[in-house]
Amino acid sequence: MNKDGGYFSTTIPLNTAKATTPGVHEPDVPSVQPTPLKRVVSGAALKELLAGGAGAQPKTPSREDTEFRAYSHSEIARDVATIKNSVVMHLTATFLRTPASMDSGHAYLASAFSVRDRLLQRWNLTNEYHDKINAKRVYYMSLEFLIGRTFDNALLALQLRDEYAKVLGDVGFRLEDIIDEERDAALGNGGLGRLAACYVDSMACMNYPGWGYGLRYRYGMFQQQIINGYQVEAPDCWLDSPNPWEFPRPDVTYPVKFYGHLVRDPEVPYRYKWESNVVYDAMAFDVPVPGYGTANVGNIRLWSCKTNGLFDLNKFNAGDYHGATGGQVAAQILTDVLYPNDNTNEGKELRLRQEYLFCSATLQDIIARFKRTGRPLAQLADMAAIQLNDTHPTLGIPELMRILIDDEGLTWDDAWSTTIKTFAFTNHTVLPEAMEKWPVPMLDKILPRHMGIIYDINL
């Protein structure tokens, strides 16, 4: 398909000025900051780093330990004594409590981490099995997941409610009181989020290889308070205490670009290189979803921005403390709040960048998993079905096109054929005020490549 007469040839300048947003370096500061290292590098690793290599890399085991494998492939014993040992271990070793210093909050956390140990073991076995049989996976992309409280649901799914009630009774608590200690996860607001949570739960119960994808909101939407008869909206600080139901995955991160400019490929007129200094790393947090009456465990993978690498030490040492942390703030706010107020242009831009961060990280993760099968990307639809929950994840369509054409080298026709066979869409309303709309200049500024792809799709 010849795209030479499309949108890019007339409306996108190839030297668009980079946007002046927080975190973008000034002209007199090097645009590429040193990469933070995990530890002091010396010896051969230092020589490799100085020569332009990657430096010290994680080592893999030289052999497989049979005892380790046996433990990881057998379910933890379900008797009361084993459960009690696990809860007491977490009370003393994880939360540094004694019988004299513990309270119901500590009892909840210790019990929840004990349950999480069981879920993670089942989760590993589930993923290993699905990889072994080369299963086609279902991916449910939703900006909301109204999952509610996880502790009681996990006990019911594992069919261990009576055993944990006995253990908690031994240490002086009622199970019902401990269940009440859990805060609702501020990851969703209404019916759309509840539908998404139910789908992932149902897939786990029915033994489908299904995952949900969303964002890890720091403050949720808001916490409602009534003061002097009026509603007052306050941040929902649900992550102030440890969250037993998420598993941080710092090893699973993907770069996400914003703004910048495009450079046309001289050999392929419809292929472009997207250059930008505004790049954030999206980091995964996994939330296991147990199926009832089965060993199958689903997953909701949530994205949050990594901010440590965005701290500018040069600006900090020069006394520009606001500038030194500007990149961190710009990244952090992307996943601070569900549905940021879009009554202002700044709010509209924030929501657009938030949704693109979600879509880009998710698509990169799905493709990385698919590549491990060794199949060509034209067969993506044979191994992945992506369901879009309402309009919020629809930027995933031009994002998949961008990845397939610009990064992976597919032709436009092959990329489009793969895309339309991979995606499906759930529409929740046709009311005009509920349909998301973005000003063309704004989309062109923040996502220049996607604006062009959208125009070309519409040709």
Side-chain angles (χ1 to χ4, degrees), residues 373-428:
T373 67
R375 297 184 178 213
L377 275 165
Q379 297 179 16
L380 177 64
D382 296 334
M383 299 299 293
I386 305 175
Q387 186 74 26
L388 305 177
N389 192 22
D390 210 20
T391 58
H392 314 115
T394 51
L395 279 170
I397 295 171
E399 172 64 2
L400 181 57
M401 288 291 291
R402 182 195 69 79
I403 293 173
L404 294 178
I405 294 172
D406 295 348
D407 295 346
E408 301 298 338
L410 269 67
T411 66
W412 174 277
D413 288 339
D414 286 344
W416 182 241
S417 175
T418 300
T419 298
I420 61 176
K421 288 186 291 186
T422 301
F423 281 109
F425 175 69
T426 299
N427 186 41
H428 286 262

Side-chain angles (χ1 to χ4, degrees), residues 35-41 56-58:
T35 302
L37 302 177
K38 293 181 180 179
R39 58 179 174 82
V40 175
V41 181
Q57 296 296 309

Side-chain angles (χ1 to χ4, degrees), residues 84-97 106 109-117:
K84 188 171 184 178
N85 285 338
S86 175
V87 172
V88 170
M89 183 275 294
H90 281 294
L91 278 170
T92 56
T94 306
F95 299 105
L96 202 62
R97 295 293 122 185
H106 302 125
L109 288 172
S111 302
F113 272 87
S114 170
V115 171
R116 190 185 82 156
D117 293 342

Side-chain angles (χ1 to χ4, degrees), residues 271-324:
R271 187 167 297 142
Y272 288 80
K273 181 180 180 182
W274 183 11
E275 296 182 347
S276 175
N277 282 343
V278 186
V279 184
Y280 301 138
D281 285 331
M283 171 181 159
F285 287 77
D286 286 334
V287 180
V289 180
Y292 179 78
T294 174
N296 189 59
V297 175
N299 187 48
I300 299 176
R301 176 158 286 181
L302 305 173
W303 301 106
S304 182
C305 270
K306 289 180 68 174
T307 60
N308 290 344
L310 298 173
F311 178 75
D312 194 323
L313 185 61
N314 291 324
K315 288 186 176 182
F316 186 87
N317 289 336
D320 183 7
Y321 305 125
H322 177 75

